[in-house]
Amino acid sequence: MKALVFQGPGQTSWQDVPDPGIKDAADAIVRVGSVTICGTDLHIIKGDVPEVAPGRVLGHEAVGEVVEIGSDVRTVRPGDRVLVSCISGCGRCRFCRENRYGQCRGGGGWVLGHLIDGTQAEYVRVPFADLSVHPLPSAVGSDDAVLLADIFPTAYEVGVLNGQVQPGDTVVVVGAGPIGLATIATAQLHTPGRIIVIDLAESRLTAARALGADATVNAAEDPEKLVEDLTDGLGADTVVEAVGVPEAFEMCTRMVRPGGRVANVGVHGKPATLHLEDLWIKDVTITTGLVDTHSTPLLLRMLAAGRLPSTELVTHRFELGQMEEAYDVFARAADTGALKVVLGGPRHDVVTLPA
C-alpha cells in the first residue's frame, strides 16, 4: 500500500510500505476512506516529538471501513464504517478504568502515528479496536466525522472541560487554528458570556467570528489591553492556549483573572517561562493534557443532531495520493488560508493480509 512515511526531521515521503496485518486479537484493520492532517504532525516533522522514529507512518485521525478483526473484537465487524480515534485504550489499566485513555499504561494512549504506524495510509492497523474505533451512523458524512478523531474531543476535553468553562464566563482562546476554532464551537455548549479570540492571521479571525467568537483581535495589536478593557480590568475566567509556543502560553498567564484557569492545549516543542513571582498570589489553576477521547460518543451524537459545526472547518480537499501537496498547503496556512484539510479518494480495492 501507499503511506506517508517520516524519514527524519524535515523529511517525509509518500511511498510503498507493507500492508498491515493483525498482530493482536484485539486489533482491527481499517481501509482508510477519509484522513486529515494535524498540527501535531507538523511538530513531528519539525523534530519536536523525538519518540517518533524514522520509518514511521504518520497520522492519527481517520474514517474508514473495517476489513478484518482479531478474534477478541466484539463491537465492530468487517464492513462497518468507523471513526478511528487518535487515542487507543487497553481498557484494563488504572487510567483506562478512570476514562483517561490518553494515559493508558497497557500499550495504548497516543500510539497511532507516534509509536506505531498511523492513519495517513491506505490501510491502518488499529489496536484495542473495541475502545479505539466508533461505528458511524449513516447520517454522518466521513469528511465531517474525521474531525471528531482528534480536534473536537481535544478542544472540548483539554480546553473547555479542563478550563471549567461556566455559564456567563469570559473565555479567551489564543490561537484560531483548527483546535482553537473547535474550542470556540465546544465552549458554546457551556453558554459562556463572551468568547475573545486572538490570532495573527486575519483569515482565521474571520473564521472565528463565523463560528461564534464575540470579539477578535490580532495578536500584534495589544490583545491584553482588549481583554483588560472587556473585563473591567479583572481578566478572563478561562484562557485556552491553542498555539504551542512559549510567547502564547506566557500571554495566557497574564490575561487570566485571580482564581481563573489557564488550559494549555497547544503542543510545545520549547520551554516556556512560568512566572510564579506573579502567579503565586493569584490562585490561578494551570492545566495541561493529552486528550482522552472519552467525550467522542457524546460529540458524535451532537454531530449527528446537527449541533456541531464541521464542514465549516474544512477548507481544502485532496485525493489520498496528494498527501505531500496537502501537507504543503496545511503547513503554509498563513498564505493558503487552510484550516482543516481532508484527504480521500482512489485506493486499492484489495489488501493482501498475512496468513
Side-chain angles (χ1 to χ4, degrees):
M1 68 172 184
K2 293 286 189 179
L4 187 80
V5 179
F6 176 64
Q7 304 290 3
Q11 302 178 61
T12 61
S13 61
W14 179 250
Q15 65 181 65
D16 290 319
V17 300
D19 295 327
I22 297 291
K23 293 184 177 180
D24 184 89
D27 290 348
I29 305 298
V30 175
R31 179 168 54 223
V32 174
S34 294
V35 67
T36 185
I37 302 170
C38 179
T40 303
D41 297 319
L42 300 182
H43 281 281
I44 291 171
I45 294 171
K46 286 171 59 180
D48 289 345
V49 189
E51 298 86 4
V52 181
R56 177 70 61 228
V57 175
L58 295 181
H60 50 267
E61 307 159 271
V63 168
E65 179 185 338
V66 176
V67 296
E68 187 180 10
I69 58 174
S71 59
D72 288 350
V73 177
R74 297 291 181 266
T75 60
V76 295
R77 59 185 179 181
D80 286 350
R81 190 170 66 107
V82 296
L83 170 69
V84 178
S85 175
C86 65
I87 297 295
S88 303
C90 75
R92 299 183 297 271
C93 72
R94 168 184 171 173
F95 293 110
C96 284
R97 289 177 179 271
E98 296 174 354
N99 288 337
R100 299 179 65 187
Y101 305 114
Q103 302 302 320
C104 175
R105 291 297 184 266
W110 172 36
V111 293
L112 290 171
H114 180 207
L115 305 179
I116 66 173
D117 286 339
T119 59
Q120 290 170 3
E122 294 178 302
Y123 294 85
V124 60
R125 178 182 73 89
V126 184
F128 308 117
D130 281 338
L131 286 173
S132 306
V133 302
H134 301 269
L136 291 174
S138 58
V140 175
S142 295
D143 288 0
D144 296 325
V146 75
L147 302 187
L148 271 67
D150 185 351
I151 65 165
F152 271 105
T154 294
Y156 186 55
E157 295 173 20
V158 186
V160 176
L161 295 184
N162 279 3
Q164 300 177 36
V165 174
Q166 302 293 323
D169 277 356
T170 293
V171 177
V172 173
V173 180
V174 179
I179 288 288
L181 295 174
T183 302
I184 297 167
T186 54
Q188 291 174 76
L189 302 176
H190 294 249
T191 61
R194 181 191 293 116
I195 299 176
I196 305 166
V197 179
I198 300 166
D199 200 282
L200 282 167
E202 288 302 324
S203 61
R204 292 190 165 187
L205 294 176
T206 299
R209 290 190 292 271
L211 284 171
D214 299 288
T216 60
V217 58
N218 192 291
E221 297 176 359
D222 199 1
E224 295 177 49
K225 181 64 165 59
L226 175 66
V227 172
E228 182 180 5
D229 290 345
L230 291 177
T231 60
D232 297 324
L234 187 64
D237 300 287
T238 297
V239 186
V240 179
E241 199 284 342
V243 182
V245 298
E247 296 81 4
F249 173 78
E250 292 166 28
M251 180 169 62
C252 288
T253 64
R254 293 193 296 269
M255 292 189 296
V256 67
R257 67 164 172 82
R261 289 85 59 189
V262 175
N264 184 87
V265 184
V267 177
H268 287 263
K270 296 179 180 178
T273 301
L274 182 63
H275 288 282
L276 286 176
E277 74 278 11
D278 298 321
L279 294 170
W280 74 269
I281 201 170
K282 293 180 65 177
D283 296 343
V284 170
T285 298
I286 298 175
T287 59
T288 64
L290 173 66
V291 64
D292 295 310
T293 65
H294 63 75
S295 67
T296 301
L298 167 65
L299 296 172
L300 274 172
R301 292 194 299 272
M302 300 195 70
L303 180 65
R307 302 297 186 184
L308 280 181
S310 53
T311 304
E312 296 91 330
L313 273 70
V314 179
T315 55
H316 295 75
R317 289 178 169 82
F318 299 87
E319 293 184 358
L320 196 60
Q322 297 176 290
M323 187 69 70
E324 291 171 312
E325 180 182 347
Y327 259 92
D328 177 65
V329 168
F330 185 64
R332 295 187 300 108
D335 300 323
T336 63
L339 295 175
K340 206 64 174 164
V341 303
V342 173
L343 301 95
R347 62 185 71 85
H348 300 315
D349 290 326
V350 177
V351 61
T352 301
L353 297 171

